[in-house]
Amino acid sequence: MRELLSDLRAWHDAATPFALATVVAVRGSAPRAPGAVMAVSADGTVAGSVSGGCVESDVYEAAAEALATGVPLLRTYGISDDEAFGAGLTCGGTIDVLVRPYTTADGRDRLRGLVDTIARGEPVAVATVVSGTPPVGATRTVLADRATGSLGDEGLDAAVTDDARGLLAQGATGTQRYGPRGERRMQDVTVFVQAYAPAPRMLVFGAIDHAAATARIGSFLGYRVTVCDARPAFTTRERFPTADEVVCAWPHTYLESTAVDARTVICVLTHDPKFDVPLLAAALRTPAAYIGAMGSRRTHQDRIRRLRDAGVDEAGLARLASPVGLDLGARTPEETAVSIAAEIIQHRWGGTGRPLAELTGTIHHRP
């Protein structure tokens, strides 16, 4: 929903009713994962997508119905029926889409509160009943220190709150099932929990043209981007307008003082041993999801030798993506940034990096 924040704010401020359609389950191959959102305002404006185009027209009609009735509804879309021109997924999978209307000021105000929480970067999860005895569409909003809203039973609220905080800690979105009073190992109530963890970080070291291009594509991919370099003349906001932060400091000193978690990606583009070696030695001690370093193969071999001399073991060296990026034949800083981004995505989802035309099986990898 992050990409819809400005639209939702505008509709709230204009007191415009709207409906939110959310993918709450995926079976088989599908273009978008659970949590994908499409919004439709009362004047017919559309923002976002739930399927990349396969079923949007039908979801639009479902949103209009929900706006007219004020009642949430759940729609399932499977393989398209070409004979009947029915809405469906040509990729062969099945998705469930929950459509919730926001036709009252109170409902829009509650959603505006969620929008503002997400925009502040405060971790929050929203648990929504998809099926079962509580009303479909009932929600509970869960933060680290509090929860609001009820699904109709104290036991169910407590169980959902615990599970939502667990998913939020992992930055994961998923479906949970319970008994009507929150009993475990029962299937009566299906609850979709959507976690809005803060954006993952991308740390880009080296204030060069390649760093500017990498920062741009990192922002495009949804990362909170920091560019860091020790040279004041190069480390300026004017050179890196898309970065969230521009820091002038020795790279390894900054890295040792900043937050790095299992979703952070680190791109070392300095290719200067006096920066690279202490920086990479520090990076390889962090839980970062991805650590890549730019340089030629000769630079790589020298870097590996220096890192070994600095005490980095073989397990640490095996985490290093160097030379950074996938083999795309990149030449320009922008092409190189695409290569780096492609490797980060491959690492995250477990793709092969090979052309899809050469492969069989599923296209959309799931965590």
Side-chain angles (χ1 to χ4, degrees), residues 1 3 17 28 50 105 130 135 160 162 188-189 199 208 213 283 317 335 342-343:
M1 189 159 60
E3 67 272 22
V50 293
V130 175
V160 168
D162 285 345
D188 302 83
V189 181
I208 62 175
L317 294 175
E335 290 174 346
E343 186 172 52

Side-chain angles (χ1 to χ4, degrees), residues 138 153 224 228 234 247 254-255 260 292 297 332:
D153 180 86
R224 178 174 177 80
C228 176
F234 295 92
V247 177
Y254 173 74
L255 181 62
V260 175
R297 297 195 186 280
T332 67

Side-chain angles (χ1 to χ4, degrees), residues 46-251:
V46 178
S49 170
V50 293
S51 74
C54 303
V55 301
E56 261 70 5
S57 294
D58 194 77
V59 173
Y60 181 91
E61 297 300 326
E65 178 182 338
L67 284 168
T69 63
V71 178
L73 54 91
L74 183 68
R75 292 282 173 86
T76 297
Y77 300 96
I79 300 173
S80 62
D81 183 350
D82 292 331
E83 294 294 326
F85 300 99
L89 300 178
T90 57
C91 53
T94 302
I95 63 173
D96 294 334
V97 178
L98 178 66
V99 183
R100 295 190 67 219
Y102 291 85
T103 55
T104 66
D106 184 56
R108 290 192 297 272
D109 286 346
R110 286 197 299 272
L111 187 65
R112 176 58 185 263
L114 173 63
V115 164
D116 291 343
T117 300
I118 295 170
R120 288 195 302 269
E122 187 175 356
V124 59
V126 179
T128 305
V129 174
V130 175
S131 67
T133 46
V136 170
T139 63
R140 184 166 175 81
T141 301
V142 180
L143 296 96
D145 59 349
R146 62 193 185 281
T148 60
S150 177
L151 306 182
D153 180 86
E154 289 184 2
L156 181 59
D157 287 345
V160 168
T161 298
D162 285 345
D163 289 343
R165 286 187 175 134
L167 288 169
L168 189 57
Q170 303 171 42
T173 286
T175 298
Q176 306 289 114
R177 292 180 173 83
Y178 308 91
R181 294 179 177 81
E183 299 93 337
R184 307 290 180 174
R185 300 183 182 180
M186 295 181 70
Q187 307 287 314
D188 302 83
V189 181
T190 302
V191 178
F192 176 68
V193 181
Q194 188 161 10
Y196 298 96
R201 300 189 71 190
M202 172 182 280
L203 306 180
V204 182
F205 294 96
I208 62 175
D209 288 347
H210 289 81
T214 301
R216 288 196 296 273
I217 202 166
S219 295
F220 176 75
L221 292 175
Y223 287 94
R224 178 174 177 80
V225 178
T226 298
V227 176
C228 176
D229 195 294
R231 301 168 295 175
F234 295 92
T235 316
T236 65
R237 169 57 65 184
E238 290 72 25
R239 298 192 68 221
F240 302 98
T242 64
D244 296 283
E245 298 175 294
V246 179
V247 177
C248 185
W250 276 84

Side-chain angles (χ1 to χ4, degrees), residues 282-303:
L284 292 167
R285 292 193 295 268
T286 72
Y290 171 91
I291 303 167
M294 177 179 281
S296 67
R297 297 195 186 280
R298 180 177 177 180
T299 299
H300 168 71
Q301 294 301 324
D302 178 67
R303 179 187 291 140

